[in-house]
Amino acid sequence: MEAIARSVATPRATVAPKASRAAKRAAVRQVTKSALRSGFFGSNKAVFASSKAQAKAIRQEVSCAVATDADLALDCINAIRFLAIDGVEKANSGHPGLPMGCAPMSFILFNEMMKFNPKNPQWFNRDRFVLSAGHGSMLQYAMLHLSGFESVSNADLQQFRQWESKTPGHPENFITNGVEVTTGPLGQGIANAVGLAVAEKHLGARYNKPDCEVVDHYTYCIMGDGCNMEGISTEAASLAGHWGLGKLIVFYDDNSISIDGHTDISFTEDVSARFDALGWHTIHVEDGNTDLDAIRKAVEDAKAVTDKPTMIKVTTLIGYGSPNKANSHAVHGAALGPDEVKATRENLKWEHEPFVVPEAVMSQMDRSEDGAKFEAEWEATLATYTEKYPEEAAEFKQLISGELPEGWEDALPKFTPEDKGDATRNHSQTMLNALAPVLPGLIGGSADLAPSNMTLMKMFGDFQKDTPAERNVRFGVREHAMGAIANALGLHNSGLIPYCATFFIFSDYMRSAMRMAALSEVGNIFVMTHDSIGLGEDGPTHQPVEHLASFRAMPKMLMMRPGDGNETAGCYAVGVGNRKRPVTLALSRQAMPNMATTSIEGTKKGAYTVVDCGEKPEVILIGTGSELQFAVEAGEKLSAEGTKVNVVSMPCWELFDETDADYQESVFPKDVRKRVSIEAGSTQGWMKYTTDSGIAIGVDTWGASAPGPLLYEKYGITPDAVYKAAKSLL
């Protein structure tokens, strides 16, 4: 009998904790049949059938085994709940309600469905998981800990939301190994999940062979009511449906509670109908609190649909198990409090002290053995692939290594004054098309502005549902989702180099995603064209006057504004070379000349002298972008009059500030305080470089609707303005 019990007590829960007697009897019949088929009772089944007493005893023992298995599943789920409860309680800060309600679906996902190796969190072919409702971060930390990730120890759980802990208030990929993306603001996560699924589909289409698949994994996501309310989620879901991302499975935690209270005060739409309309496959699990079989079946059904993403609406009770706070906003964003924690422990019959997890639960939920097997199987597949397809394998391995191909920067073109002047948006397209053949990971596109942003890689077609191996991505007019999807392409850890583009003014629509790129250490290249009042007739609604200053204020963002072709090449050298730091390129619509002394190397330093008088200057002129030529022209006029003048190009403040003191002194000698800067944008911040003895020329008001050259004249963005300002200082 003991042997029978061991054979049927599988390491995965097979019956819901509150399964009906009929369900249990069905399970007993199934395991009994399995035992018969295995020959456990011998070949003479009549012997078994003739002994009613023996049959009854076996059924009772099998039933007990099934019940025990269900009890273990319930213990695992409650362990998840109470690790979250205890972590929030100890911190006296956080969101316990979501983890308490989402514990069952998370148990099924991490313990049964997902493929990953906790001992190697960066293994390429792992399934990805995104907690879009990132405020419920203790759910993810509990799952990582219980699944065997060394990055989240029990001690780490007890340091939730504390200084320098590995368990911050929201999941952050650069802090906690096993967290794929930093979700932060609601809705970012679901858009990130779409991007991760795009990466899987794209790479699979490029490298998989009919007899050997090296790219084969799913992207799972849990989002909440708040994510669904944010517009970015609809933007991203629309694209996911259009692209047919069949390996994207999103759980919607339908608990009908937000911070303000029950969602019926502001959110009554039929979410499933919306996702249906967006081209998704939708499923509803009506009891997400106890019906594990329904959750399990929903995932299996989702995997069976290969041409659409799936949204599984799981109706849950927020704060499940809390006698007095469940199904209320009181459990959404605050600790339960000692009395309610005690009452919840009693209600769920959880007799363990805070942060104590039974050994049986730890053993059940540790996926280390499974993970090692998954990775070993994939390595064997990769070895076969390498033998059969050596050229493709070499490129694939180089790509997923994250290392850039040797000599890639040599592909960047260089320019001389004899080369025709051009707008830097056009130079940008030249760079993209020069780099695309040597960077197999380069992928990106524009928010319905490709002909204006100049972002098409001409040798490739469009990434679409039926052509996912192509590398031009058509995002449509969806700036917010575009930024988050592109971020996820970079966070897929597969060597993809994402770029995305729009007019600089519309960065306002994707600022959150750009901020998350800087925070999350994503080397996204944000191509922002029409960078100043120089775009002209569209008027002030389209003229970004404050944007350079605002992105310069963003930590870890490299805000770059090149002044010609060489500097545009330098910007791409920086953007591609920085795989953990985003770059925003402010590019012109209007043409400018190529200069003799600009360079890629100078651009990499952020600021450098392009006109050197050869001795200590009396005045220093500083320009960026299309105004660099004005500083040079003014400098030539001053020099002709006998003034000792240096002209400095300053495409990137941040890079210059990171150079050493000696280099900074060589560009801006401390005892030369007569300086003039010119830039067709806000003058905020320029005093740091012009000093209080200098003058910053810019645009500190709204633009206007008129031809660009006329606007430059009216706003005083001219060589003559620089000349006169310098003369006033001498």
Coordinates of all heavy atoms in Angstrom, one line a residue, residues 411-424 426-431 434 564-570 592-600:
A411 N 31.9 50.4 -39.3 CA 30.9 50.6 -40.3 C 30.4 52.0 -40.4 O 29.7 52.4 -41.3 CB 29.8 49.6 -40.1
L412 N 30.6 52.8 -39.3 CA 30.1 54.1 -39.3 C 30.8 55.0 -40.3 O 32.1 55.1 -40.3 CB 30.2 54.7 -37.9 CG 29.3 54.1 -36.8 CD1 29.7 54.5 -35.4 CD2 27.9 54.4 -37.0
P413 N 30.1 55.7 -41.1 CA 30.8 56.6 -42.1 C 31.3 57.9 -41.5 O 30.9 58.3 -40.4 CB 29.6 56.9 -43.1 CG 28.4 56.8 -42.2 CD 28.6 55.7 -41.3
K414 N 32.3 58.5 -42.2 CA 32.9 59.8 -41.8 C 32.6 60.8 -42.9 O 32.5 60.4 -44.0 CB 34.3 59.6 -41.4 CG 34.6 58.6 -40.3 CD 36.1 58.5 -40.0 CE 36.4 57.6 -38.8 NZ 35.8 56.2 -39.0
F415 N 32.6 62.1 -42.5 CA 32.3 63.1 -43.4 C 33.3 64.2 -43.4 O 34.0 64.4 -42.4 CB 30.9 63.7 -43.0 CG 29.8 62.7 -43.1 CD1 29.5 61.9 -42.0 CD2 29.0 62.6 -44.2 CE1 28.5 61.0 -42.0 CE2 28.0 61.6 -44.2 CZ 27.7 60.8 -43.1
T416 N 33.4 64.9 -44.5 CA 34.3 66.1 -44.7 C 33.4 67.3 -45.1 O 32.3 67.1 -45.6 CB 35.4 65.8 -45.7 OG1 34.8 65.7 -47.0 CG2 36.1 64.5 -45.4
P417 N 34.0 68.5 -45.1 CA 33.2 69.6 -45.5 C 32.8 69.5 -47.0 O 31.9 70.2 -47.4 CB 34.2 70.8 -45.3 CG 35.1 70.3 -44.2 CD 35.2 68.9 -44.4
E418 N 33.5 68.7 -47.8 CA 33.2 68.5 -49.2 C 31.9 67.7 -49.3 O 31.2 67.8 -50.4 CB 34.3 67.9 -49.9 CG 35.5 68.8 -50.2 CD 36.3 69.1 -48.9 OE1 36.4 68.2 -48.0 OE2 36.7 70.3 -48.7
D419 N 31.5 67.0 -48.3 CA 30.3 66.2 -48.4 C 29.1 67.2 -48.2 O 29.1 68.1 -47.3 CB 30.2 65.1 -47.3 CG 31.3 64.0 -47.5 OD1 31.4 63.5 -48.7 OD2 32.0 63.7 -46.6
K420 N 28.1 66.9 -49.0 CA 26.9 67.8 -48.9 C 26.3 67.8 -47.5 O 26.2 66.8 -46.8 CB 25.8 67.3 -49.9 CG 24.6 68.2 -49.9 CD 23.6 67.6 -50.9 CE 22.3 68.5 -50.9 NZ 21.3 67.9 -51.9
G421 N 26.0 69.0 -47.0 CA 25.3 69.2 -45.7 C 24.0 68.5 -45.7 O 23.3 68.4 -46.8
D422 N 23.5 68.1 -44.6 CA 22.2 67.4 -44.5 C 21.7 67.6 -43.1 O 22.4 67.9 -42.1 CB 22.4 66.0 -44.8 CG 21.2 65.3 -45.5 OD1 20.1 65.9 -45.4 OD2 21.3 64.2 -46.0
A423 N 20.4 67.3 -43.0 CA 19.7 67.2 -41.7 C 20.3 66.0 -40.9 O 20.5 65.0 -41.5 CB 18.2 67.2 -41.8
T424 N 20.4 66.2 -39.6 CA 20.9 65.0 -38.8 C 19.9 63.9 -38.8 O 20.3 62.7 -38.5 CB 21.3 65.5 -37.4 OG1 20.2 66.2 -36.8 CG2 22.5 66.3 -37.4
N426 N 18.5 62.7 -41.4 CA 19.0 62.0 -42.6 C 20.3 61.3 -42.3 O 20.5 60.1 -42.7 CB 19.1 62.9 -43.8 CG 17.8 63.5 -44.3 OD1 16.7 62.9 -44.0 ND2 17.8 64.6 -44.9
H427 N 21.2 61.9 -41.6 CA 22.4 61.3 -41.2 C 22.1 60.0 -40.3 O 22.7 59.0 -40.4 CB 23.3 62.2 -40.4 CG 24.0 63.2 -41.3 ND1 24.7 62.9 -42.4 CD2 24.1 64.6 -41.2 CE1 25.2 64.0 -42.9 NE2 24.8 65.1 -42.2
S428 N 21.1 60.2 -39.5 CA 20.7 59.1 -38.6 C 20.3 57.9 -39.4 O 20.7 56.7 -39.1 CB 19.5 59.5 -37.7 OG 19.0 58.5 -36.9
Q429 N 19.5 58.1 -40.5 CA 19.1 56.9 -41.3 C 20.3 56.3 -42.0 O 20.4 55.1 -42.1 CB 18.1 57.3 -42.4 CG 17.6 56.1 -43.2 CD 16.3 56.4 -43.9 OE1 16.3 57.3 -44.8 NE2 15.3 55.6 -43.6
T430 N 21.3 57.1 -42.3 CA 22.5 56.6 -42.9 C 23.2 55.7 -41.9 O 23.7 54.6 -42.3 CB 23.5 57.8 -43.3 OG1 22.8 58.6 -44.3 CG2 24.8 57.3 -43.8
M431 N 23.2 56.1 -40.6 CA 23.9 55.3 -39.6 C 23.2 54.0 -39.4 O 23.8 52.9 -39.3 CB 23.9 56.1 -38.3 CG 24.6 57.4 -38.4 SD 26.3 57.3 -39.1 CE 26.4 59.0 -39.9
A434 N 23.9 51.7 -42.2 CA 25.3 51.3 -42.2 C 25.6 50.2 -41.1 O 26.3 49.3 -41.3 CB 26.3 52.5 -41.9
D564 N 26.5 67.6 -36.9 CA 26.7 67.3 -38.3 C 26.7 65.8 -38.4 O 26.4 65.0 -37.5 CB 27.9 68.0 -38.8 CG 29.2 67.5 -38.3 OD1 29.2 66.6 -37.4 OD2 30.3 67.9 -38.7
G565 N 27.2 65.3 -39.6 CA 27.3 63.9 -39.9 C 28.2 63.1 -39.0 O 27.9 62.0 -38.5
N566 N 29.4 63.7 -38.8 CA 30.4 63.0 -37.9 C 29.9 62.8 -36.5 O 30.0 61.8 -35.8 CB 31.7 63.7 -37.9 CG 32.5 63.6 -39.2 OD1 32.4 62.6 -39.8 ND2 33.2 64.7 -39.6
E567 N 29.2 63.9 -36.0 CA 28.7 63.8 -34.6 C 27.5 62.9 -34.5 O 27.3 62.2 -33.5 CB 28.3 65.2 -34.1 CG 29.5 66.1 -33.9 CD 29.3 67.3 -33.0 OE1 28.1 67.7 -32.8 OE2 30.3 67.9 -32.5
T568 N 26.7 62.8 -35.6 CA 25.6 61.8 -35.6 C 26.2 60.4 -35.6 O 25.7 59.5 -34.8 CB 24.7 62.0 -36.9 OG1 24.3 63.3 -37.0 CG2 23.5 61.0 -36.8
A569 N 27.3 60.2 -36.3 CA 28.0 58.9 -36.2 C 28.5 58.6 -34.8 O 28.4 57.5 -34.3 CB 29.1 58.8 -37.2
G570 N 29.0 59.7 -34.2 CA 29.5 59.5 -32.8 C 28.3 59.2 -31.8 O 28.5 58.4 -30.9
M592 N 22.5 71.1 -42.2 CA 23.6 71.9 -41.7 C 24.9 71.3 -42.3 O 24.9 70.2 -42.8 CB 23.7 71.7 -40.1 CG 23.8 70.3 -39.7 SD 23.5 70.1 -37.9 CE 21.7 70.2 -37.9
P593 N 25.9 72.2 -42.4 CA 27.1 71.7 -43.1 C 27.9 70.7 -42.2 O 27.8 70.7 -41.0 CB 27.9 73.0 -43.2 CG 27.5 73.9 -42.1 CD 26.0 73.5 -41.9
N594 N 28.7 69.9 -42.9 CA 29.7 69.0 -42.2 C 30.9 69.8 -42.0 O 31.4 70.5 -42.9 CB 30.0 67.8 -43.1 CG 28.8 66.9 -43.2 OD1 28.3 66.4 -42.2 ND2 28.3 66.7 -44.5
M595 N 31.5 69.7 -40.8 CA 32.6 70.5 -40.4 C 33.9 69.7 -40.5 O 33.9 68.5 -40.4 CB 32.4 71.1 -39.1 CG 31.1 72.0 -39.0 SD 30.8 72.7 -37.4 CE 29.2 73.4 -37.7
A596 N 35.0 70.4 -40.6 CA 36.3 69.8 -40.8 C 36.8 69.2 -39.5 O 37.6 68.2 -39.6 CB 37.3 70.9 -41.3
T597 N 36.4 69.7 -38.3 CA 37.1 69.2 -37.1 C 36.1 68.4 -36.2 O 36.5 68.0 -35.1 CB 37.6 70.4 -36.3 OG1 36.6 71.4 -36.1 CG2 38.8 71.1 -37.1
T598 N 34.9 68.2 -36.6 CA 34.1 67.3 -35.8 C 34.5 65.9 -35.9 O 35.1 65.5 -36.9 CB 32.6 67.4 -36.2 OG1 32.5 67.2 -37.6 CG2 32.0 68.8 -35.9
S599 N 34.2 65.1 -34.9 CA 34.6 63.7 -34.9 C 33.8 62.8 -34.1 O 33.1 63.2 -33.1 CB 36.1 63.6 -34.5 OG 36.2 63.9 -33.1
I600 N 33.9 61.5 -34.3 CA 33.2 60.5 -33.5 C 33.9 60.5 -32.1 O 33.2 60.4 -31.1 CB 33.4 59.1 -34.2 CG1 32.5 59.0 -35.4 CG2 32.9 58.0 -33.2 CD1 32.7 57.7 -36.2

